[in-house]
Amino acid sequence: MTITPAQIQSASQALRSVLRFDYPADSVLSRYFRDMREIGARDRAFVAEAVYGVLRRKRTLERLCGPEASTRQLILAWLARIEGTTLRQLGEGLHGRDTDYFTEIKGREAGEMSLAESADLPDWLAERLLATMTPEEVVALAQSLNRPAPLDLRVNTLKLERDALVARLQADGIACAPGRFSPAAVRLEGKPALQKHPLFLDGSFEVQDEGSQLLGYLLQPKRGEMVADFCAGAGGKTLLLGALMRNTGRLYAFDVSDKRLSKLKPRMARSGLSNVHPVVIASENDPRVKRLAGKLDRVLVDAPCSGLGTLRRNPDLKWRQSPEALAELTVKQTAILASAARLVKPGGRLVYATCSLLPEENEAIVAAFLAANDSFAPLNAQEVLAKQGITIECGEQLHLTPRSHDTDGFFAAVLERKA
């Protein structure tokens, strides 16, 4: 594929906006493409790939290019050193200064790099990971996080069986296969546009990472139960829980963001679920939450977190997060878990989950909660899944990583309120 000067210029402009880190990279790119409507689909794909490529390998590229490198130089270095692009593929029209820089950077030595630079991580994050991993494990994990994520679907079992979805997609020329772990997962080989596919429009499937799907199976809601998705967001896990409940019982979708919850409503309509009740709350101590104290069979807490387990999809997060932000999050996580736990009735189940890889957001939060709440006891996550026919080595507390499971990075602890 020939890369044009216009593509490099567009990627450089977009990257300049993204590297301010004022907003998430995906929203900055969306705004850029809205403002630059003349850019065609092929050029947009190159811009997005280049921007995300630089975000993933930012430390390596800065080491090669120097701290004062322009965004244009970072794009050229990404093409030369990460993508292995040849001078011939750059096509006609690049001025001599670009071709000279491209040729020079292709042969430049990076020199001795620190662990954080080798892993393309900020120093503080590499140090946190080193507290529980060897340097080799940190680099291997970081390399797995630097690969683009595959596209996973979750079949809506109220409407379709997984094998039927696979057969239909394959008949439509979409290469896919059943997921390794989740009984509802389908993994696609490429990243086709599916927003207009008839089975998406009628709610027969949703896009959802396979690791995220396993959280619903850890909660294991049953028909007719009262259940809450405590931090529902746009409702991906809510829809799975509703399907597992076979559209019976009562399923609360709580969130503090009306904007996020509003995205759930059209998804509910497509899915055919009628047992979901979205509720915007002011905080974890909202009176509408307190009224349900001790009444719910199962509560899922997918807590707000650093999101560092999703770096395959959101590589900008490692540059946008900070130790200060992490400290604020752990305070919030502690409060949310304590509040959600009050809803669980004796004999009921509580699942605390994050898409983080850091112990202070995961094991430490759960350990502190159990120390302060002797009415709860941990269950073995691997055994909970095994009883549902899901074979996976994930530990007593669920630990998923792209390196070991080819999913996003997830943590979950399964807790039971003593009867």
Side-chain angles (χ1 to χ4, degrees), residues 328-389:
E328 291 177 11
L329 280 167
T330 57
V331 172
K332 189 180 294 185
Q333 290 155 356
T334 299
I336 289 172
L337 179 57
S339 181
R342 297 186 195 111
L343 304 184
V344 183
K345 70 185 187 183
R349 183 177 295 181
L350 173 66
V351 171
Y352 173 80
T354 75
C355 50
S356 173
L357 303 165
L358 298 178
E360 51 260 61
E361 296 186 84
N362 297 335
E363 295 93 333
I365 299 292
V366 174
F369 171 80
L370 289 172
N373 295 272
D374 60 5
S375 60
F376 281 87
L379 299 179
N380 187 301
Q382 190 164 307
E383 291 176 5
V384 168
L385 294 175
K387 288 175 183 175
Q388 298 171 74

Side-chain angles (χ1 to χ4, degrees), residues 294-297 343-349 416-419:
K295 296 180 179 177
L296 299 195
D297 297 282
L343 304 184
V344 183
K345 70 185 187 183
R349 183 177 295 181
E416 186 175 72
R417 187 162 208 159
K418 297 172 186 174

Side-chain angles (χ1 to χ4, degrees), residues 66-113:
E68 304 302 318
S70 67
T71 53
R72 190 179 187 88
Q73 289 173 329
L74 289 171
I75 297 291
L76 289 168
W78 171 74
L79 286 167
R81 296 297 292 263
I82 309 302
E83 291 297 288
T85 306
T86 65
L87 200 54
R88 182 178 297 174
Q89 288 173 294
L90 290 183
E92 300 297 325
L94 277 184
H95 53 66
R97 195 170 62 217
D98 281 341
T99 54
D100 290 346
Y101 186 80
F102 182 88
T103 304
E104 193 268 325
I105 206 75
K106 212 167 179 62
R108 186 180 290 180
E109 292 292 329
E112 189 173 343
M113 297 170 72

Side-chain angles (χ1 to χ4, degrees), residues 74-337:
L74 289 171
I75 297 291
L76 289 168
W78 171 74
L79 286 167
R81 296 297 292 263
I82 309 302
E83 291 297 288
T85 306
T86 65
L87 200 54
R88 182 178 297 174
Q89 288 173 294
L90 290 183
E92 300 297 325
L94 277 184
H95 53 66
R97 195 170 62 217
D98 281 341
T99 54
D100 290 346
Y101 186 80
F102 182 88
T103 304
E104 193 268 325
I105 206 75
K106 212 167 179 62
R108 186 180 290 180
E109 292 292 329
E112 189 173 343
M113 297 170 72
S114 69
L115 174 70
E117 287 173 324
S118 300
D120 284 289
L121 295 172
D123 292 340
W124 73 268
L125 181 52
E127 288 169 13
R128 298 289 173 99
L129 292 172
L130 276 172
T132 55
M133 299 180 188
T134 66
E136 293 75 20
E137 288 171 336
V138 171
V139 171
L141 173 64
Q143 287 172 342
S144 70
L145 288 165
N146 277 335
R147 289 193 288 270
L151 184 60
D152 291 340
L153 308 180
R154 178 186 58 77
V155 65
N156 179 357
T157 51
L158 296 177
K159 296 197 169 192
L160 203 63
E161 294 299 317
R162 178 169 68 174
D163 289 348
L165 175 61
V166 170
R168 171 66 186 276
L169 293 174
Q170 289 177 342
D172 292 340
I174 299 170
C176 63
R180 287 171 60 197
F181 307 118
S182 166
V186 173
R187 174 153 294 181
L188 277 60
E189 283 189 20
K191 294 193 176 178
L194 296 170
Q195 296 92 329
K196 295 180 181 178
H197 194 282
L199 293 183
F200 176 75
L201 295 173
D202 77 2
S204 292
F205 70 80
E206 287 273 348
V207 174
Q208 186 178 14
D209 180 77
E210 186 170 19
S212 173
Q213 295 179 35
L214 291 179
L215 303 183
Y217 291 96
L218 286 178
L219 194 68
Q220 202 179 0
K222 302 288 201 316
R223 290 173 180 263
E225 290 186 332
M226 286 183 68
V227 178
D229 186 352
F230 203 76
C231 305
K237 297 177 192 70
T238 309
L239 297 174
L240 168 58
L241 298 177
L244 291 174
M245 296 165 72
R246 305 306 297 173
N247 203 18
T248 65
R250 193 169 182 87
L251 173 55
Y252 293 97
F254 292 124
D255 204 272
V256 296
S257 170
D258 184 29
K259 185 177 179 182
R260 282 197 295 264
L261 268 186
S262 67
K263 295 177 183 176
L264 170 59
K265 291 174 183 176
R267 300 172 80 185
M268 280 169 50
R270 286 199 306 269
S271 73
L273 288 173
S274 58
N275 66 337
V276 179
H277 302 271
V279 182
V280 181
I281 56 175
S283 73
E284 68 272 11
N285 295 313
D286 191 289
R288 283 165 291 189
V289 172
K290 290 183 175 180
R291 279 199 289 270
L292 293 169
K295 296 180 179 177
L296 299 195
D297 297 282
R298 296 169 198 263
V299 177
L300 172 63
V301 179
D302 183 14
C305 69
S306 64
L308 294 169
T310 69
L311 292 181
R312 298 187 304 174
R313 303 172 200 280
N314 307 298
D316 55 311
L317 276 177
K318 58 186 171 183
W319 314 119
R320 292 175 56 233
Q321 288 292 5
S322 67
E324 295 76 24
L326 189 65
E328 291 177 11
L329 280 167
T330 57
V331 172
K332 189 180 294 185
Q333 290 155 356
T334 299
I336 289 172
L337 179 57

